[in-house]
Amino acid sequence: APVAAAPEPAPEPAKPSVNWETMSHDQRLELMKTVVMPKMKELFSAFDPKHYSDMKCTTCHGDGVKDKTFKMPNPKLPKLSFTDHFKKHMDKKPEMTKFMMEKVVPEMATLLGTQPFNPETKQGFGCMGCHNVGP
């Protein structure tokens, strides 16, 4: 009888090609314009084509675009409540909450050359990269 071939080993995860922490302001702007914005626009417009068809830098960065600081978190984005595993947001907007957790956070982490936020180590990109905490 033929012997089954051993399964192929899983490929190594891709190593990040950037390190946001060590990049200059100009390098960060270039990354945002050429990599982050196109990818995030693709994700958001696939999620809600009507609402995000005209996504711009101000969609996430708000007033930080005008003053050229691009400061994040943006106080004008919805404030997040972490109580009971985002219960408030899961009750009000479950699709958006899942989209942010399952698509946006992991993709942004990859694009910035880091890992998704790890609550144990307090390291990585997470919700607080863009949003403030609120009631």
Side-chain angles (χ1 to χ4, degrees), residues 58-63 71-78 129-132:
T58 53
T59 303
C60 298
H61 289 277
D63 294 339
K71 188 174 188 300
M72 294 299 267
N74 175 359
K76 292 190 176 173
L77 289 175
C130 299
H131 296 268
N132 284 318

Side-chain angles (χ1 to χ4, degrees), residues 32-131:
M32 282 298 207
K33 283 194 264 185
T34 62
V35 177
V36 175
M37 181 61 180
K39 185 60 180 179
M40 286 296 113
K41 186 171 184 171
E42 175 187 318
L43 281 181
F44 276 85
S45 60
F47 174 74
D48 186 341
K50 184 177 176 191
H51 187 76
Y52 294 107
S53 65
D54 193 30
M55 190 169 174
K56 296 181 175 129
C57 301
T58 53
T59 303
C60 298
H61 289 277
D63 294 339
V65 174
K66 291 178 200 156
D67 66 19
K68 304 242 186 282
T69 63
F70 299 95
K71 188 174 188 300
M72 294 299 267
N74 175 359
K76 292 190 176 173
L77 289 175
K79 296 195 177 11
L80 300 181
S81 168
F82 295 102
T83 304
D84 294 328
H85 305 286
F86 296 92
K87 182 178 182 343
K88 172 183 167 183
H89 308 290
M90 289 299 286
D91 288 350
K92 190 173 180 183
K93 292 187 172 187
E95 296 83 15
M96 175 57 92
T97 305
K98 289 177 193 171
F99 167 69
M100 295 299 263
M101 291 175 165
E102 295 169 6
K103 301 282 186 193
V104 175
V105 168
E107 188 64 37
M108 276 300 297
T110 298
L111 296 174
L112 299 178
T114 188
Q115 298 296 314
F117 183 74
N118 180 332
E120 291 175 17
T121 64
K122 307 283 189 238
Q123 300 294 309
F125 179 84
C127 307
M128 306 282 293
C130 299
H131 296 268

